[in-house]
Amino acid sequence: MKKFVNDPADVVAEALAGLAAAHPELRVDAAQRYVARADAPRPGKVVLVSGGGSGHEPLHGGFVGAGMLDAACPGEVFTSPVPDQILAATKAVDGGAGVVHVVKNYTGDVMNFQMAAELAADEGITMETVLVDDDIAVRDSTWTAGRRGTGATLLVEKIAGALAEEGGELAEVAAIGREVNAASASFAYALTAATTPASGRPGFDLPDDEIEAGVGIHGEPGRRREKIRPARELVESALDAILEAKPVSPGEPVIVLVNGLGATPLIELYLVYHEVARALAGRGVQISRRLVGNYVTSLDMAGLSITLTRVTGEMIRLWDAPVRTPGLRWGA
């Protein structure tokens, strides 16, 4: 294994120190392990808090800032943050208008965020939870009850975060987050497994001529192993699965996310986006907005995911709203 680390046990702590040094607009609490906007709490603003295991950067800490999250809780690599950590982040940014927890559907995340929400409610904080479960590759597994939360997490955080930034009320912010999740479907492929710093070896083995179809962002098994095929065929297969699970009517607008899982170069991601755009045009699907890059990763996994989200005019307006975070930035 070759990695730019000191001691594998210190990777998350040292990465957080680097995030703090690189982004003074953020406040990093090293002791309680959370990342928050430096201007939080903002009285009267509904706030969004998310988190999960480290190793998926820029998710979630890289999405803290104006127009997205108010705080994020990074757990150890591929390990859920603990309830006390989530509670500390929630209390640090609560501005009195309520808090929305955005939670990916993994057993540890769901359990720990639920415990933290109950503790926060006991302290008088009004809470809502948005569960993200967009991965249509598998339903129920060792890691989840139901479908896994993956690429759509970014869209939920961006669109709900924009509404919160505009002054939306708690119920409205949570409702649009759930609407985005319900309108989203994702499917991923892996060419290689991720290697965690602690283990020093890939999480699973794949022969040179095989891929994992429907892989999870922690290396969880997908639908099947299959022989590597041209990108055009893989895209067609992924879109068939996505559109079977979440049909899109001809002419209906969508946002497309082609997301790298950590080690896939941009030249390949753009090639795949070209195939997605071609295939959707052939199906009469209108791409309203698109995003290509590494946003919801799995350490050094060579792979990618495709997310389609059916969008309303209001969702598009909120997607276009200004955002200023380390991982996503546009607008005024």
PDB file of all heavy atoms in Angstrom, residues 294-324:
ATOM      1  N   ASN A 294     -15.714  14.295  -8.808  1.00  0.00           N
ATOM      2  CA  ASN A 294     -15.623  13.469  -7.608  1.00  0.00           C
ATOM      3  C   ASN A 294     -16.277  14.199  -6.442  1.00  0.00           C
ATOM      4  O   ASN A 294     -15.716  15.185  -5.934  1.00  0.00           O
ATOM      5  CB  ASN A 294     -14.152  13.172  -7.282  1.00  0.00           C
ATOM      6  CG  ASN A 294     -13.530  12.214  -8.270  1.00  0.00           C
ATOM      7  OD1 ASN A 294     -13.770  11.021  -8.224  1.00  0.00           O
ATOM      8  ND2 ASN A 294     -12.727  12.742  -9.192  1.00  0.00           N
ATOM      9  N   TYR A 295     -17.448  13.736  -6.030  1.00  0.00           N
ATOM     10  CA  TYR A 295     -18.216  14.414  -4.979  1.00  0.00           C
ATOM     11  C   TYR A 295     -18.612  13.491  -3.830  1.00  0.00           C
ATOM     12  O   TYR A 295     -18.627  13.903  -2.674  1.00  0.00           O
ATOM     13  CB  TYR A 295     -19.472  15.047  -5.587  1.00  0.00           C
ATOM     14  CG  TYR A 295     -19.168  16.136  -6.570  1.00  0.00           C
ATOM     15  CD1 TYR A 295     -19.203  15.902  -7.940  1.00  0.00           C
ATOM     16  CD2 TYR A 295     -18.798  17.405  -6.136  1.00  0.00           C
ATOM     17  CE1 TYR A 295     -18.897  16.900  -8.852  1.00  0.00           C
ATOM     18  CE2 TYR A 295     -18.486  18.413  -7.033  1.00  0.00           C
ATOM     19  CZ  TYR A 295     -18.540  18.154  -8.389  1.00  0.00           C
ATOM     20  OH  TYR A 295     -18.223  19.144  -9.285  1.00  0.00           O
ATOM     21  N   VAL A 296     -18.968  12.260  -4.137  1.00  0.00           N
ATOM     22  CA  VAL A 296     -19.324  11.256  -3.118  1.00  0.00           C
ATOM     23  C   VAL A 296     -18.429  10.065  -3.399  1.00  0.00           C
ATOM     24  O   VAL A 296     -18.761   9.195  -4.194  1.00  0.00           O
ATOM     25  CB  VAL A 296     -20.808  10.873  -3.195  1.00  0.00           C
ATOM     26  CG1 VAL A 296     -21.173   9.887  -2.088  1.00  0.00           C
ATOM     27  CG2 VAL A 296     -21.699  12.118  -3.102  1.00  0.00           C
ATOM     28  N   THR A 297     -17.269  10.034  -2.753  1.00  0.00           N
ATOM     29  CA  THR A 297     -16.219   9.105  -3.130  1.00  0.00           C
ATOM     30  C   THR A 297     -16.126   7.923  -2.162  1.00  0.00           C
ATOM     31  O   THR A 297     -16.821   7.856  -1.160  1.00  0.00           O
ATOM     32  CB  THR A 297     -14.868   9.838  -3.202  1.00  0.00           C
ATOM     33  OG1 THR A 297     -14.552  10.349  -1.900  1.00  0.00           O
ATOM     34  CG2 THR A 297     -14.919  10.988  -4.189  1.00  0.00           C
ATOM     35  N   SER A 298     -15.221   7.030  -2.489  1.00  0.00           N
ATOM     36  CA  SER A 298     -14.958   5.862  -1.660  1.00  0.00           C
ATOM     37  C   SER A 298     -13.447   5.650  -1.606  1.00  0.00           C
ATOM     38  O   SER A 298     -12.913   4.708  -2.187  1.00  0.00           O
ATOM     39  CB  SER A 298     -15.661   4.625  -2.242  1.00  0.00           C
ATOM     40  OG  SER A 298     -15.469   3.488  -1.412  1.00  0.00           O
ATOM     41  N   LEU A 299     -12.769   6.618  -0.942  1.00  0.00           N
ATOM     42  CA  LEU A 299     -11.317   6.626  -0.867  1.00  0.00           C
ATOM     43  C   LEU A 299     -10.709   6.560  -2.269  1.00  0.00           C
ATOM     44  O   LEU A 299     -10.932   7.453  -3.070  1.00  0.00           O
ATOM     45  CB  LEU A 299     -10.825   5.479   0.027  1.00  0.00           C
ATOM     46  CG  LEU A 299     -11.126   5.625   1.524  1.00  0.00           C
ATOM     47  CD1 LEU A 299     -10.777   4.344   2.275  1.00  0.00           C
ATOM     48  CD2 LEU A 299     -10.381   6.804   2.138  1.00  0.00           C
ATOM     49  N   ASP A 300      -9.982   5.469  -2.573  1.00  0.00           N
ATOM     50  CA  ASP A 300      -9.279   5.354  -3.842  1.00  0.00           C
ATOM     51  C   ASP A 300      -9.934   4.346  -4.780  1.00  0.00           C
ATOM     52  O   ASP A 300      -9.268   3.776  -5.642  1.00  0.00           O
ATOM     53  CB  ASP A 300      -7.814   4.970  -3.602  1.00  0.00           C
ATOM     54  CG  ASP A 300      -7.672   3.663  -2.822  1.00  0.00           C
ATOM     55  OD1 ASP A 300      -8.695   3.152  -2.306  1.00  0.00           O
ATOM     56  OD2 ASP A 300      -6.536   3.147  -2.725  1.00  0.00           O
ATOM     57  N   MET A 301     -11.241   4.134  -4.616  1.00  0.00           N
ATOM     58  CA  MET A 301     -11.925   3.185  -5.487  1.00  0.00           C
ATOM     59  C   MET A 301     -11.956   3.710  -6.918  1.00  0.00           C
ATOM     60  O   MET A 301     -12.314   4.872  -7.150  1.00  0.00           O
ATOM     61  CB  MET A 301     -13.358   2.932  -5.011  1.00  0.00           C
ATOM     62  CG  MET A 301     -14.123   1.933  -5.873  1.00  0.00           C
ATOM     63  SD  MET A 301     -15.853   1.742  -5.357  1.00  0.00           S
ATOM     64  CE  MET A 301     -15.637   0.799  -3.840  1.00  0.00           C
ATOM     65  N   ALA A 302     -11.577   2.877  -7.863  1.00  0.00           N
ATOM     66  CA  ALA A 302     -11.769   3.196  -9.274  1.00  0.00           C
ATOM     67  C   ALA A 302     -13.191   2.786  -9.636  1.00  0.00           C
ATOM     68  O   ALA A 302     -13.520   1.600  -9.610  1.00  0.00           O
ATOM     69  CB  ALA A 302     -10.756   2.466 -10.141  1.00  0.00           C
ATOM     70  N   GLY A 303     -14.018   3.764  -9.908  1.00  0.00           N
ATOM     71  CA  GLY A 303     -15.421   3.488 -10.204  1.00  0.00           C
ATOM     72  C   GLY A 303     -16.167   4.789 -10.353  1.00  0.00           C
ATOM     73  O   GLY A 303     -15.591   5.877 -10.253  1.00  0.00           O
ATOM     74  N   LEU A 304     -17.451   4.667 -10.581  1.00  0.00           N
ATOM     75  CA  LEU A 304     -18.285   5.852 -10.739  1.00  0.00           C
ATOM     76  C   LEU A 304     -19.728   5.497 -10.444  1.00  0.00           C
ATOM     77  O   LEU A 304     -20.113   4.334 -10.435  1.00  0.00           O
ATOM     78  CB  LEU A 304     -18.161   6.432 -12.151  1.00  0.00           C
ATOM     79  CG  LEU A 304     -18.537   5.537 -13.328  1.00  0.00           C
ATOM     80  CD1 LEU A 304     -20.024   5.553 -13.643  1.00  0.00           C
ATOM     81  CD2 LEU A 304     -17.766   5.950 -14.573  1.00  0.00           C
ATOM     82  N   SER A 305     -20.515   6.535 -10.178  1.00  0.00           N
ATOM     83  CA  SER A 305     -21.956   6.366 -10.014  1.00  0.00           C
ATOM     84  C   SER A 305     -22.677   7.356 -10.899  1.00  0.00           C
ATOM     85  O   SER A 305     -22.151   8.422 -11.217  1.00  0.00           O
ATOM     86  CB  SER A 305     -22.382   6.541  -8.549  1.00  0.00           C
ATOM     87  OG  SER A 305     -22.112   7.850  -8.092  1.00  0.00           O
ATOM     88  N   ILE A 306     -23.870   6.973 -11.298  1.00  0.00           N
ATOM     89  CA  ILE A 306     -24.741   7.831 -12.102  1.00  0.00           C
ATOM     90  C   ILE A 306     -26.011   8.069 -11.298  1.00  0.00           C
ATOM     91  O   ILE A 306     -26.631   7.111 -10.823  1.00  0.00           O
ATOM     92  CB  ILE A 306     -25.080   7.173 -13.451  1.00  0.00           C
ATOM     93  CG1 ILE A 306     -23.809   6.929 -14.271  1.00  0.00           C
ATOM     94  CG2 ILE A 306     -26.064   8.041 -14.236  1.00  0.00           C
ATOM     95  CD1 ILE A 306     -24.032   6.064 -15.496  1.00  0.00           C
ATOM     96  N   THR A 307     -26.385   9.335 -11.125  1.00  0.00           N
ATOM     97  CA  THR A 307     -27.604   9.704 -10.416  1.00  0.00           C
ATOM     98  C   THR A 307     -28.488  10.523 -11.342  1.00  0.00           C
ATOM     99  O   THR A 307     -28.005  11.465 -11.978  1.00  0.00           O
ATOM    100  CB  THR A 307     -27.299  10.520  -9.151  1.00  0.00           C
ATOM    101  OG1 THR A 307     -26.462   9.762  -8.282  1.00  0.00           O
ATOM    102  CG2 THR A 307     -28.578  10.911  -8.414  1.00  0.00           C
ATOM    103  N   LEU A 308     -29.765  10.162 -11.393  1.00  0.00           N
ATOM    104  CA  LEU A 308     -30.776  10.959 -12.094  1.00  0.00           C
ATOM    105  C   LEU A 308     -31.788  11.438 -11.064  1.00  0.00           C
ATOM    106  O   LEU A 308     -32.268  10.644 -10.239  1.00  0.00           O
ATOM    107  CB  LEU A 308     -31.505  10.126 -13.148  1.00  0.00           C
ATOM    108  CG  LEU A 308     -31.026  10.242 -14.608  1.00  0.00           C
ATOM    109  CD1 LEU A 308     -29.591   9.776 -14.714  1.00  0.00           C
ATOM    110  CD2 LEU A 308     -31.928   9.423 -15.522  1.00  0.00           C
ATOM    111  N   THR A 309     -32.116  12.721 -11.109  1.00  0.00           N
ATOM    112  CA  THR A 309     -33.127  13.301 -10.230  1.00  0.00           C
ATOM    113  C   THR A 309     -34.150  14.045 -11.073  1.00  0.00           C
ATOM    114  O   THR A 309     -33.789  14.995 -11.782  1.00  0.00           O
ATOM    115  CB  THR A 309     -32.499  14.268  -9.215  1.00  0.00           C
ATOM    116  OG1 THR A 309     -31.530  13.567  -8.430  1.00  0.00           O
ATOM    117  CG2 THR A 309     -33.558  14.864  -8.293  1.00  0.00           C
ATOM    118  N   ARG A 310     -35.397  13.618 -11.015  1.00  0.00           N
ATOM    119  CA  ARG A 310     -36.479  14.338 -11.691  1.00  0.00           C
ATOM    120  C   ARG A 310     -36.723  15.636 -10.928  1.00  0.00           C
ATOM    121  O   ARG A 310     -36.862  15.615  -9.702  1.00  0.00           O
ATOM    122  CB  ARG A 310     -37.753  13.490 -11.728  1.00  0.00           C
ATOM    123  CG  ARG A 310     -37.639  12.262 -12.611  1.00  0.00           C
ATOM    124  CD  ARG A 310     -38.894  11.396 -12.543  1.00  0.00           C
ATOM    125  NE  ARG A 310     -38.955  10.656 -11.280  1.00  0.00           N
ATOM    126  CZ  ARG A 310     -39.834  10.888 -10.325  1.00  0.00           C
ATOM    127  NH1 ARG A 310     -40.736  11.847 -10.454  1.00  0.00           N
ATOM    128  NH2 ARG A 310     -39.816  10.178  -9.217  1.00  0.00           N
ATOM    129  N   VAL A 311     -36.772  16.753 -11.644  1.00  0.00           N
ATOM    130  CA  VAL A 311     -36.819  18.042 -10.954  1.00  0.00           C
ATOM    131  C   VAL A 311     -37.992  18.899 -11.410  1.00  0.00           C
ATOM    132  O   VAL A 311     -38.426  18.843 -12.559  1.00  0.00           O
ATOM    133  CB  VAL A 311     -35.513  18.841 -11.159  1.00  0.00           C
ATOM    134  CG1 VAL A 311     -34.389  18.223 -10.356  1.00  0.00           C
ATOM    135  CG2 VAL A 311     -35.129  18.925 -12.633  1.00  0.00           C
ATOM    136  N   THR A 312     -38.491  19.684 -10.473  1.00  0.00           N
ATOM    137  CA  THR A 312     -39.491  20.715 -10.749  1.00  0.00           C
ATOM    138  C   THR A 312     -38.774  22.033 -11.026  1.00  0.00           C
ATOM    139  O   THR A 312     -37.559  22.168 -10.801  1.00  0.00           O
ATOM    140  CB  THR A 312     -40.419  20.884  -9.553  1.00  0.00           C
ATOM    141  OG1 THR A 312     -39.631  21.357  -8.433  1.00  0.00           O
ATOM    142  CG2 THR A 312     -41.092  19.564  -9.175  1.00  0.00           C
ATOM    143  N   GLY A 313     -39.517  23.029 -11.457  1.00  0.00           N
ATOM    144  CA  GLY A 313     -38.938  24.352 -11.649  1.00  0.00           C
ATOM    145  C   GLY A 313     -38.367  24.924 -10.369  1.00  0.00           C
ATOM    146  O   GLY A 313     -37.323  25.584 -10.382  1.00  0.00           O
ATOM    147  N   GLU A 314     -39.030  24.673  -9.247  1.00  0.00           N
ATOM    148  CA  GLU A 314     -38.537  25.158  -7.965  1.00  0.00           C
ATOM    149  C   GLU A 314     -37.235  24.473  -7.588  1.00  0.00           C
ATOM    150  O   GLU A 314     -36.300  25.126  -7.073  1.00  0.00           O
ATOM    151  CB  GLU A 314     -39.593  24.925  -6.879  1.00  0.00           C
ATOM    152  CG  GLU A 314     -39.169  25.296  -5.461  1.00  0.00           C
ATOM    153  CD  GLU A 314     -38.983  26.790  -5.237  1.00  0.00           C
ATOM    154  OE1 GLU A 314     -39.080  27.573  -6.196  1.00  0.00           O
ATOM    155  OE2 GLU A 314     -38.730  27.171  -4.083  1.00  0.00           O
ATOM    156  N   MET A 315     -37.114  23.178  -7.837  1.00  0.00           N
ATOM    157  CA  MET A 315     -35.853  22.490  -7.546  1.00  0.00           C
ATOM    158  C   MET A 315     -34.714  23.048  -8.386  1.00  0.00           C
ATOM    159  O   MET A 315     -33.598  23.240  -7.880  1.00  0.00           O
ATOM    160  CB  MET A 315     -35.998  20.990  -7.806  1.00  0.00           C
ATOM    161  CG  MET A 315     -36.860  20.245  -6.826  1.00  0.00           C
ATOM    162  SD  MET A 315     -36.868  18.490  -7.292  1.00  0.00           S
ATOM    163  CE  MET A 315     -38.200  17.875  -6.262  1.00  0.00           C
ATOM    164  N   ILE A 316     -34.984  23.320  -9.656  1.00  0.00           N
ATOM    165  CA  ILE A 316     -33.947  23.876 -10.527  1.00  0.00           C
ATOM    166  C   ILE A 316     -33.525  25.258 -10.025  1.00  0.00           C
ATOM    167  O   ILE A 316     -32.334  25.591  -9.985  1.00  0.00           O
ATOM    168  CB  ILE A 316     -34.437  23.945 -11.981  1.00  0.00           C
ATOM    169  CG1 ILE A 316     -34.634  22.526 -12.534  1.00  0.00           C
ATOM    170  CG2 ILE A 316     -33.444  24.723 -12.850  1.00  0.00           C
ATOM    171  CD1 ILE A 316     -35.324  22.495 -13.884  1.00  0.00           C
ATOM    172  N   ARG A 317     -34.496  26.069  -9.609  1.00  0.00           N
ATOM    173  CA  ARG A 317     -34.178  27.401  -9.080  1.00  0.00           C
ATOM    174  C   ARG A 317     -33.266  27.293  -7.862  1.00  0.00           C
ATOM    175  O   ARG A 317     -32.276  28.041  -7.734  1.00  0.00           O
ATOM    176  CB  ARG A 317     -35.464  28.134  -8.711  1.00  0.00           C
ATOM    177  CG  ARG A 317     -35.251  29.580  -8.281  1.00  0.00           C
ATOM    178  CD  ARG A 317     -36.542  30.200  -7.757  1.00  0.00           C
ATOM    179  NE  ARG A 317     -36.945  29.658  -6.472  1.00  0.00           N
ATOM    180  CZ  ARG A 317     -36.412  30.003  -5.302  1.00  0.00           C
ATOM    181  NH1 ARG A 317     -35.422  30.889  -5.253  1.00  0.00           N
ATOM    182  NH2 ARG A 317     -36.846  29.471  -4.171  1.00  0.00           N
ATOM    183  N   LEU A 318     -33.571  26.353  -6.984  1.00  0.00           N
ATOM    184  CA  LEU A 318     -32.770  26.188  -5.779  1.00  0.00           C
ATOM    185  C   LEU A 318     -31.410  25.568  -6.090  1.00  0.00           C
ATOM    186  O   LEU A 318     -30.411  25.889  -5.430  1.00  0.00           O
ATOM    187  CB  LEU A 318     -33.537  25.334  -4.755  1.00  0.00           C
ATOM    188  CG  LEU A 318     -34.783  26.014  -4.169  1.00  0.00           C
ATOM    189  CD1 LEU A 318     -35.639  25.004  -3.412  1.00  0.00           C
ATOM    190  CD2 LEU A 318     -34.398  27.180  -3.262  1.00  0.00           C
ATOM    191  N   TRP A 319     -31.349  24.692  -7.078  1.00  0.00           N
ATOM    192  CA  TRP A 319     -30.068  24.142  -7.515  1.00  0.00           C
ATOM    193  C   TRP A 319     -29.166  25.265  -8.025  1.00  0.00           C
ATOM    194  O   TRP A 319     -27.962  25.287  -7.761  1.00  0.00           O
ATOM    195  CB  TRP A 319     -30.289  23.101  -8.598  1.00  0.00           C
ATOM    196  CG  TRP A 319     -29.020  22.537  -9.175  1.00  0.00           C
ATOM    197  CD1 TRP A 319     -28.400  22.899 -10.339  1.00  0.00           C
ATOM    198  CD2 TRP A 319     -28.201  21.507  -8.597  1.00  0.00           C
ATOM    199  NE1 TRP A 319     -27.255  22.161 -10.526  1.00  0.00           N
ATOM    200  CE2 TRP A 319     -27.106  21.302  -9.475  1.00  0.00           C
ATOM    201  CE3 TRP A 319     -28.290  20.756  -7.421  1.00  0.00           C
ATOM    202  CZ2 TRP A 319     -26.114  20.361  -9.218  1.00  0.00           C
ATOM    203  CZ3 TRP A 319     -27.293  19.812  -7.165  1.00  0.00           C
ATOM    204  CH2 TRP A 319     -26.226  19.627  -8.055  1.00  0.00           C
ATOM    205  N   ASP A 320     -29.741  26.207  -8.750  1.00  0.00           N
ATOM    206  CA  ASP A 320     -28.969  27.309  -9.332  1.00  0.00           C
ATOM    207  C   ASP A 320     -28.595  28.380  -8.304  1.00  0.00           C
ATOM    208  O   ASP A 320     -27.742  29.235  -8.597  1.00  0.00           O
ATOM    209  CB  ASP A 320     -29.765  27.979 -10.454  1.00  0.00           C
ATOM    210  CG  ASP A 320     -29.876  27.118 -11.698  1.00  0.00           C
ATOM    211  OD1 ASP A 320     -29.097  26.146 -11.829  1.00  0.00           O
ATOM    212  OD2 ASP A 320     -30.748  27.406 -12.538  1.00  0.00           O
ATOM    213  N   ALA A 321     -29.200  28.361  -7.126  1.00  0.00           N
ATOM    214  CA  ALA A 321     -28.933  29.383  -6.113  1.00  0.00           C
ATOM    215  C   ALA A 321     -27.462  29.353  -5.702  1.00  0.00           C
ATOM    216  O   ALA A 321     -26.809  28.302  -5.750  1.00  0.00           O
ATOM    217  CB  ALA A 321     -29.832  29.163  -4.894  1.00  0.00           C
ATOM    218  N   PRO A 322     -26.916  30.489  -5.283  1.00  0.00           N
ATOM    219  CA  PRO A 322     -25.490  30.550  -4.938  1.00  0.00           C
ATOM    220  C   PRO A 322     -25.117  29.547  -3.850  1.00  0.00           C
ATOM    221  O   PRO A 322     -25.888  29.291  -2.912  1.00  0.00           O
ATOM    222  CB  PRO A 322     -25.308  31.985  -4.432  1.00  0.00           C
ATOM    223  CG  PRO A 322     -26.405  32.755  -5.094  1.00  0.00           C
ATOM    224  CD  PRO A 322     -27.569  31.811  -5.168  1.00  0.00           C
ATOM    225  N   VAL A 323     -23.922  29.003  -3.979  1.00  0.00           N
ATOM    226  CA  VAL A 323     -23.390  28.073  -2.984  1.00  0.00           C
ATOM    227  C   VAL A 323     -21.901  28.347  -2.849  1.00  0.00           C
ATOM    228  O   VAL A 323     -21.204  28.565  -3.841  1.00  0.00           O
ATOM    229  CB  VAL A 323     -23.663  26.605  -3.385  1.00  0.00           C
ATOM    230  CG1 VAL A 323     -23.057  26.266  -4.745  1.00  0.00           C
ATOM    231  CG2 VAL A 323     -23.157  25.636  -2.321  1.00  0.00           C
ATOM    232  N   ARG A 324     -21.412  28.347  -1.614  1.00  0.00           N
ATOM    233  CA  ARG A 324     -19.998  28.597  -1.351  1.00  0.00           C
ATOM    234  C   ARG A 324     -19.514  27.607  -0.298  1.00  0.00           C
ATOM    235  O   ARG A 324     -19.639  27.850   0.912  1.00  0.00           O
ATOM    236  CB  ARG A 324     -19.769  30.047  -0.891  1.00  0.00           C
ATOM    237  CG  ARG A 324     -20.094  31.082  -1.956  1.00  0.00           C
ATOM    238  CD  ARG A 324     -19.697  32.498  -1.547  1.00  0.00           C
ATOM    239  NE  ARG A 324     -20.365  32.922  -0.312  1.00  0.00           N
ATOM    240  CZ  ARG A 324     -21.614  33.383  -0.264  1.00  0.00           C
ATOM    241  NH1 ARG A 324     -22.338  33.453  -1.365  1.00  0.00           N
ATOM    242  NH2 ARG A 324     -22.142  33.772   0.885  1.00  0.00           N
TER     243      ARG A 324
END
